[in-house]
Amino acid sequence: MTRVRTRYAPSPTGHLHIGGARTALFSYLLARKHGGDFIVRIEDTDTERNIPGADEKQMAMLKWLGIHWDESVDIGGPYGPYRCMERLDIYNRYVDKLLAEGKAYLSYSTPEEREREREEQIARGEKPKYSGWDRDLTPEQRAKFEAEGRVPSVRFRVPEGKTIVIEDAIRGTVKFESDEIGDFVIRRPDGRPTYNFAVVVDDALMKITHVLRGEEHLSNTPKQILIYEALGFEIPTFGHIPLILNSEGKKMSKRDETIIQFIDQYREQGYLPEAIVNFIALLGWSPEGEEEIFSMSELIDRFSLERVSKAPAIFDTGKLKWMNGQYIKKAPLERIVSLALPHLRKAGRIEENLSPERMEWVTRLVALYQEQLEYAAQIVELTELFFRSDVRYEEEAKAVLSEEHVPMVLSAVAEKWAGMTSFAPDDIKDMFKQVQKETGYKGKQLFMPVRAAATGVVHGPDLRETLSLLGRDTVLRRIRSCVDNIGDFRGK
Ligand code: GLU
């Protein structure tokens, strides 16, 4: 059997997008599943749109996600170079071949001529396409254009009356008519190949067996198949992955602000790469069964193109957060702490250099919220009550604090608290026991007022640990202040 070889071919025009990451992931999974190779090729022929360094950044993000390549610009490989702009002589060889065989021609039309032709076609009610008027110029006509200073592009001579059939591994059979396709440029006047040409030469020479990419490329595929045929290359298996829609069912545009779309942004927010990979894998692909949490190796095991859907995938941010939360819960605490620290620092909550005691405190604080955390940046908002000097009492807390027995319970707690010297959760437990004995209040009637007074809210993580982390002075001040101002909560 032929060795499976897949590739991801980003253009270095921006950050790694969710859609691109998904194409890379599916290609990677397919290659790994079959013990094949995964290649990253940089398609940088659209030079006006290239952003310096974008390729390295995208590749760093792929690595972060755990998507590793076997051949690329950084490590080389037997079919390099892997950067298109370094392959110009290779493309030229194939352009020359097509020219020599009459399958392509030098085209001298100017943008103005093409625009005029387009307008005329539209005026006649026709679908605009390049007419190919300069397909068969005489040497004299060519010389005349050259003398005028026109620099030709090379156009592919699209065969007439041909049905192009794509057996797409995801979409099934898709047909296109060659008569709908005008002769298209394969080499620009400045010598750069167009995408549709370079991609064929590259995929063929790099022995790519499966071309997976976004559905938006489906309409390019018939042109590419024509080039494969013209050059006598073997046609790979194509798989066009469905679009990603936002929660409103609209095609996700790169400007859509309701969704974070770039992988680096997720990393900055403190998402875990395993969770992103898991989530992205399920954008258009689904395994058998109900299970949803998969490691990379499980994905490799289960992935198949048959189970990639034709229907668009919906990007559900809530589900991504949930999934990330699942991974955070299971991750070692130190890992979550190291993700949380930069966010706490940036928010000015903690110092740049932490003493061992302070580090221990922060670690306990993060541990307290590990269950609840959906992504690391959330730690700032979740732990706000530990860093404010005043407390904001939510309505439910006010209701609790307005109950009759509250001043008595809080006063007893304050008195005991003031006499304590150690504030470990166990010491706090003992204190509660004593207060219970003295006042006769226990359970909710005892804990709720204390939680409400010390934190301003009625729900939260473990109370003893919370109080322990708030520390002696803060708890005492907050409880006393509630006792002193109890009227505020009773609406008096
Ligand atoms: N450079 C193209 C893109 O970024 C790749 C398309 C393909 O995979 O053929 O969309």
Side-chain angles (χ1 to χ4, degrees):
M1 239 184 67
T2 347
R3 188 176 175 82
V4 169
R5 287 175 55 85
T6 63
R7 70 353 177 237
Y8 173 56
S11 302
T13 53
H15 296 281
L16 180 61
H17 187 259
I18 301 161
R22 182 184 58 164
T23 300
L25 177 65
F26 284 12
S27 304
Y28 172 78
L29 294 176
L30 190 73
R32 287 290 172 269
K33 183 181 176 95
H34 297 285
D37 305 314
F38 172 65
I39 290 114
V40 174
R41 180 176 69 229
I42 302 298
E43 294 197 334
D44 57 350
T45 55
D46 212 351
T47 42
E48 321 76 66
R49 295 182 54 227
N50 288 348
I51 296 175
D55 44 353
E56 280 103 17
K57 282 196 192 136
Q58 287 208 30
M59 290 172 78
M61 283 303 118
L62 290 176
K63 248 187 211 164
W64 179 69
L65 290 173
I67 298 174
H68 303 286
W69 46 90
D70 305 296
E71 299 165 29
S72 190
V73 288
D74 56 345
I75 52 171
Y79 301 96
Y82 293 89
R83 197 183 292 284
C84 297
M85 285 304 279
E86 292 168 15
R87 299 171 61 80
L88 296 184
D89 52 338
I90 301 177
Y91 306 126
N92 281 334
R93 279 211 299 277
Y94 289 95
V95 170
D96 290 345
K97 185 166 186 273
L98 292 181
L99 283 171
E101 292 171 2
K103 293 174 180 168
Y105 60 94
L106 297 178
S107 172
Y108 289 87
S109 62
T110 61
E112 298 72 35
E113 284 165 351
R114 291 195 293 275
E115 188 48 35
R116 198 174 334 119
E117 180 171 282
R118 222 181 102 83
E119 281 165 10
E120 284 166 8
Q121 287 167 336
I122 292 172
R124 286 200 298 270
E126 294 167 14
K127 233 168 141 187
K129 79 169 203 193
Y130 193 72
S131 68
W133 64 269
D134 53 351
R135 271 184 164 195
D136 300 298
L137 299 177
T138 61
E140 294 73 40
Q141 285 171 310
R142 238 180 272 146
K144 185 175 157 272
F145 284 143
E146 302 261 349
E148 281 172 19
R150 296 193 188 201
V151 184
S153 58
V154 177
R155 277 182 193 269
F156 184 77
R157 194 185 290 264
V158 174
E160 275 149 44
K162 203 175 141 75
T163 302
I164 304 149
V165 182
I166 306 169
E167 296 298 347
D168 191 282
I170 295 165
R171 312 195 57 83
T173 307
V174 187
K175 293 182 182 166
F176 289 90
E177 295 304 325
S178 71
D179 289 346
E180 307 240 311
I181 306 170
D183 292 349
F184 54 90
V185 174
I186 58 177
R187 186 174 65 197
R188 301 171 171 104
D190 66 5
R192 286 174 301 140
T194 56
Y195 155 70
N196 276 318
F197 185 71
V199 75
V200 170
V201 172
D202 292 340
D203 284 339
L205 298 187
M206 293 180 186
K207 298 203 163 34
I208 301 302
T209 56
H210 295 74
V211 170
L212 305 186
R213 59 188 171 207
E215 192 185 296
E216 66 277 13
H217 282 293
L218 184 60
S219 59
N220 284 321
T221 308
K223 293 182 188 165
Q224 295 175 16
I225 288 183
L226 291 173
I227 298 172
Y228 275 100
E229 290 175 345
L231 289 173
F233 288 146
E234 195 179 328
I235 297 173
T237 300
F238 291 100
H240 288 92
I241 309 171
L243 297 177
I244 303 175
L245 306 182
N246 65 20
S247 54
E248 287 159 16
K250 296 211 186 83
K251 185 171 182 286
M252 196 165 75
S253 94
K254 291 203 173 161
R255 284 172 297 277
D256 191 335
E257 282 175 8
T258 62
I259 297 177
I260 301 182
Q261 303 201 21
F262 298 103
I263 301 299
D264 10 10
Q265 292 172 296
Y266 284 104
R267 182 161 116 154
E268 276 155 30
Q269 292 281 299
Y271 281 78
L272 299 182
E274 311 92 284
I276 307 245
V277 161
N278 191 156
F279 176 78
I280 286 179
L282 298 176
L283 284 177
W285 171 78
S286 62
E288 279 172 58
E290 296 295 302
E291 218 179 312
E292 289 197 296
I293 302 291
F294 300 104
S295 66
M296 187 69 98
S297 64
E298 288 166 333
L299 290 172
I300 291 171
D301 226 38
R302 297 193 188 213
F303 186 77
S304 76
L305 289 178
E306 288 78 54
R307 296 198 63 88
V308 177
S309 153
K310 271 191 246 194
I314 307 281
F315 192 97
D316 178 350
T317 304
K319 181 164 177 182
L320 172 55
K321 286 188 189 161
W322 169 82
M323 192 167 272
N324 200 56
Q326 298 299 307
Y327 279 88
I328 287 186
K329 275 200 234 312
K330 287 192 216 119
L333 174 60
E334 307 76 65
R335 185 169 174 209
I336 305 309
V337 171
S338 66
L339 287 180
L341 282 175
H343 294 283
L344 291 168
R345 286 206 174 99
K346 203 166 130 218
R349 297 280 170 80
I350 56 169
E351 315 69 51
E352 211 45 53
N353 295 312
L354 300 176
S355 66
E357 295 75 36
R358 185 75 168 153
M359 185 64 199
E360 195 205 316
W361 183 83
V362 174
T363 303
R364 284 174 61 197
L365 186 68
V366 174
L368 190 60
Y369 287 94
Q370 187 172 0
E371 276 293 304
Q372 227 176 307
L373 213 52
E374 292 177 315
Y375 53 94
Q378 257 180 352
I379 195 73
V380 172
E381 139 203 355
L382 286 174
T383 59
E384 204 194 345
L385 66 99
F386 289 87
F387 300 95
R388 290 174 65 92
S389 54
D390 57 335
V391 185
R392 272 197 295 235
Y393 291 94
E394 62 170 25
E395 286 309 314
E396 280 176 273
K398 286 185 191 164
V400 166
L401 292 169
S402 68
E403 286 169 33
E404 201 56 46
H405 71 294
V406 165
M408 194 249 263
V409 164
L410 290 184
S411 302
V413 169
E415 194 196 314
K416 288 274 168 308
W417 191 272
M420 283 163 72
T421 49
S422 160
F423 297 87
D426 277 346
D427 302 314
I428 296 172
K429 185 177 174 187
D430 292 343
M431 179 277 296
F432 275 130
K433 269 195 202 143
Q434 290 173 31
V435 173
Q436 182 186 328
K437 236 186 258 161
E438 275 174 29
T439 63
Y441 288 105
K442 59 175 181 178
K444 261 184 137 180
Q445 289 195 303
L446 169 56
F447 302 133
M448 277 296 229
V450 177
R451 182 187 289 282
T455 69
V457 294
V458 294
H459 300 292
D462 185 81
L463 179 60
R464 281 182 240 144
E465 181 70 359
T466 302
L467 296 175
S468 174
L469 288 171
L470 280 169
R472 182 183 192 278
D473 297 347
T474 303
V475 171
L476 196 57
R477 195 178 62 247
R478 290 181 182 178
I479 291 187
R480 281 186 174 153
S481 142
C482 279
V483 175
D484 292 346
N485 303 297
I486 208 76
D488 294 353
F489 304 115
R490 295 183 171 171
K492 284 179 202 151

